[in-house]
């Protein structure tokens, strides 16, 4: 990738994140639910195999304020981008899952992290505009955690980017920010720096599901 292409990609990502920040979270959640319904009950053009369902892909960042995910892929399919802290609203359609899960379903996750901890900012702007974030490539193959059978409905496939550069993938009827979500607890409050990344066990919601 040339420097011009890299600069264009980062400019585009900043614009997308700014636009997403203007959309109320309830509207993003409603759009995600609509997309999930369309995928799981969609036409034969979307899901031609009757033993499979389509699941929209969404991501949640647990990295903090200094590290984001400009791109990630599930089994080679683009999942979009992920904020370093929170997320879960924007979705990409779709990944095929078995309607009835009878054994482990593994996915290969490839993602890029963008670390801005070495960049000096004043009033939210980089002192040196030419300075770029430190990018690293990562790969991990993990099982999908199913809180419900895909054929029985669900809100989508949620990819969690965790400290230590690990991932967890969940299929659930609940959204990550909802009470009782079975996966890692949704990041809330001011984002920590988390750079360099610590390796720690994610928190779980212990409330009734």
């Amino acid at each position: 990738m040339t420097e011009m292409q890299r600069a264009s990609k980062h400019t585009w990502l900043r614009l997308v994140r700014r636009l997403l920040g203007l959309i109320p979270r309830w509207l993003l959640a409603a759009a995600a639910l609509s997309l999930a319904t369309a995928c799981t009950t969609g036409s034969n053009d979307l899901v031609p195999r009757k033993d499979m369902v389509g699941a929209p892909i969404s991501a949640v960042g647990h990295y903090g304020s200094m590290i984001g995910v400009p791109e990630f892929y599930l089994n080679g399919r683009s999942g979009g981008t992920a904020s370093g802290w929170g997320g879960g609203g924007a979705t990409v359609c779709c990944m095929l899952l078995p309607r009835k899960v009878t054994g482990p379903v593994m996915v290969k996750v490839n993602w890029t992290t963008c670390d801005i901890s070495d960049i000096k900012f004043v009033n939210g702007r980089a002192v040196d505009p030419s300075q770029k974030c430190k990018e690293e490539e990562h790969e991990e193959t993990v099982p999908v955690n199913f809180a419900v059978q895909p054929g029985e409905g669900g809100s989508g496939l949620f990819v969690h980017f965790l400290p230590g550069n690990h991932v967890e993938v969940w299929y659930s009827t609940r959204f990550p920010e909802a009470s009782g979500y079975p996966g890692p607890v949704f990041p809330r409050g001011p984002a920590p720096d988390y750079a360099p990344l610590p390796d720690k066990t994610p928190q779980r919601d212990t409330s009734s599901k």
Side-chain angles (χ1 to χ4, degrees):
M1 181 182 291
T2 66
E3 285 300 319
M4 182 174 293
Q5 289 173 324
R6 188 181 298 276
S8 298
K9 181 181 79 171
H10 286 296
T11 300
W12 179 82
L13 288 174
R14 285 196 298 270
L15 178 59
V16 169
R17 290 179 184 128
R18 182 173 298 176
L19 290 174
L20 286 175
L22 298 176
I23 302 174
R25 177 161 291 279
W26 68 264
L27 187 57
L28 287 173
L33 181 59
S34 239
L35 184 57
T37 303
C39 283
T40 54
T41 64
S43 68
N44 289 335
D45 291 336
L46 285 175
V47 187
R49 290 179 53 182
K50 298 298 183 182
D51 61 336
M52 305 290 282
V53 297
I57 303 167
S58 184
V60 180
H62 299 257
Y63 284 154
S65 63
M66 293 294 176
I67 300 177
V69 179
E71 58 185 359
F72 72 95
Y73 298 85
L74 298 183
N75 291 343
R77 176 179 291 275
S78 175
T81 67
S83 165
W85 191 248
T91 58
V92 172
C93 189
C94 291
M95 181 173 175
L96 292 180
L97 297 171
R99 186 172 292 274
K100 183 177 182 180
V101 177
T102 58
V105 176
M106 308 297 292
V107 291
K108 183 175 75 170
V109 185
N110 295 88
W111 72 101
T112 303
T113 52
C114 180
D115 186 341
I116 63 171
S117 60
D118 291 332
I119 301 177
K120 184 179 180 180
F121 290 87
V122 175
N123 296 326
R125 294 180 177 274
V127 174
D128 181 0
S130 66
Q131 193 173 3
K132 305 298 182 183
C133 70
K134 178 183 177 183
E135 291 191 345
E136 291 187 12
E137 306 292 329
H138 311 275
E139 179 180 312
E140 194 169 23
T141 299
V142 296
V144 177
N145 298 279
F146 291 96
V148 64
Q149 289 284 356
E152 297 175 2
S155 299
L157 200 64
F158 302 105
V159 183
H160 292 265
F161 294 98
L162 302 170
N165 285 318
H166 298 298
V167 292
E168 284 189 19
V169 181
W170 285 81
Y171 185 84
S172 170
T173 56
R174 298 174 186 260
F175 288 100
E177 57 267 45
S179 175
Y181 175 72
V185 168
F186 189 78
R188 301 183 189 278
D193 288 343
Y194 273 14
L197 285 173
D199 193 352
K200 69 174 189 178
T201 302
Q203 291 181 310
R204 307 290 172 180
D205 190 337
T206 57
S207 62
S208 59
K209 298 177 174 55

